[in-house]
């Protein structure tokens, strides 16, 4: 989700399964998904996320108290649990309850002390590589200037909603 790029008012939308998602203002060029070979394949934990996160402009990896985190400046947009089975990611506060309620086997709310942040947890074993890409790109897009997100979207062949 690179929804922060568009200036249009944002509202919750759902995917084909009715899962609430942040607004998707970009789609693959001509319906061609360059990651089609990954469809349905679970991400290979931290390594797949690391490869994607480090390819994003202004993103870098940090290890804080033994936990791997990915940041833009000082803002953390993705973080892993110590065991690497759970990934926390930036997500709009106003949509996270609906996301967690729609798929509680995948998503969970952060601890009470982290509820003030735009944050949700996901079990990596419960998502495929395409969903991981959407979550990481969406979290990253919340942290960078709109121009940077728009340039990245264009470089990936994503197009704005019509």
């Amino acid at each position: 989700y690179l929804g922060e790029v568009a200036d249009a008012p944002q509202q919750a939308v759902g995917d084909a399964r009715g899962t609430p998602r942040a607004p998707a203002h970009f789609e693959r060029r001509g319906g061609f998904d360059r990651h089609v070979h990954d469809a349905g394949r679970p991400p290979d934990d931290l390594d797949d996320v690391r490869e994607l996160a480090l390819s994003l402009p202004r993103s870098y990896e940090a290890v804080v108290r033994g936990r791997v985190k990915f940041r833009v400046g000082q803002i953390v947009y993705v973080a892993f649990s110590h065991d690497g089975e759970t990934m926390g990611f930036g997500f709009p506060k106003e949509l996270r309850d609906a996301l967690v309620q729609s798929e509680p086997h995948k998503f969970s709310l952060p601890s009470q002390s982290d509820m003030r942040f735009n944050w949700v947890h996901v079990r990596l074993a419960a998502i495929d590589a395409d969903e991981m890409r959407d979550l990481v790109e969406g979290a990253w897009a919340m942290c960078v200037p709109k121009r940077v997100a728009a340039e990245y979207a264009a470089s990936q062949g994503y197009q704005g909603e019509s």
Side-chain angles (χ1 to χ4, degrees), residues 91-98 115-119 142:
F91 194 81
K93 284 186 213 180
E94 61 275 4
L95 299 176
R96 68 179 170 197
D97 285 333
M115 288 296 285
R116 65 181 185 236
F117 301 114
N118 292 312
W119 205 249
M142 291 175 64

Side-chain angles (χ1 to χ4, degrees), residues 2 5 26 57-58 140 144-158:
L2 295 173
V5 175
F26 292 91
R58 302 187 183 191
W140 167 83
V144 295
K146 289 181 181 184
R147 177 187 54 78
V148 174
E151 288 170 358
Y152 173 78
S155 76
Q156 297 301 302
Y158 301 149

Side-chain angles (χ1 to χ4, degrees), residues 4 40 53 57 59 76 90 122-123 127-129 136 144 146:
E4 296 301 317
S59 179
V76 175
V122 65
R123 287 184 339 65
I127 62 173
D128 64 25
V136 171
V144 295
K146 289 181 181 184

Side-chain angles (χ1 to χ4, degrees), residues 4-31:
E4 296 301 317
V5 175
D7 290 328
Q10 296 186 9
Q11 52 186 304
V13 296
D15 65 12
R17 296 172 301 217
T19 305
R21 296 280 184 238
H25 293 287
F26 292 91
E27 57 188 42
R28 305 273 183 211
R29 178 182 13 223

Side-chain angles (χ1 to χ4, degrees), residues 120-139:
V120 177
H121 294 155
V122 65
R123 287 184 339 65
L124 282 176
I127 62 173
D128 64 25
D130 289 335
E131 191 165 17
M132 177 274 296
R133 173 174 281 280
D134 288 344
L135 297 174
V136 171
E137 286 178 342

Side-chain angles (χ1 to χ4, degrees), residues 44-47 65-68 79-88 121-125:
D44 292 329
D45 59 39
L46 177 59
D47 291 333
R65 296 186 192 114
R67 294 181 51 196
V68 175
F80 284 86
S81 60
H82 285 286
D83 62 12
E85 293 181 12
T86 302
M87 178 179 81
H121 294 155
V122 65
R123 287 184 339 65
L124 282 176

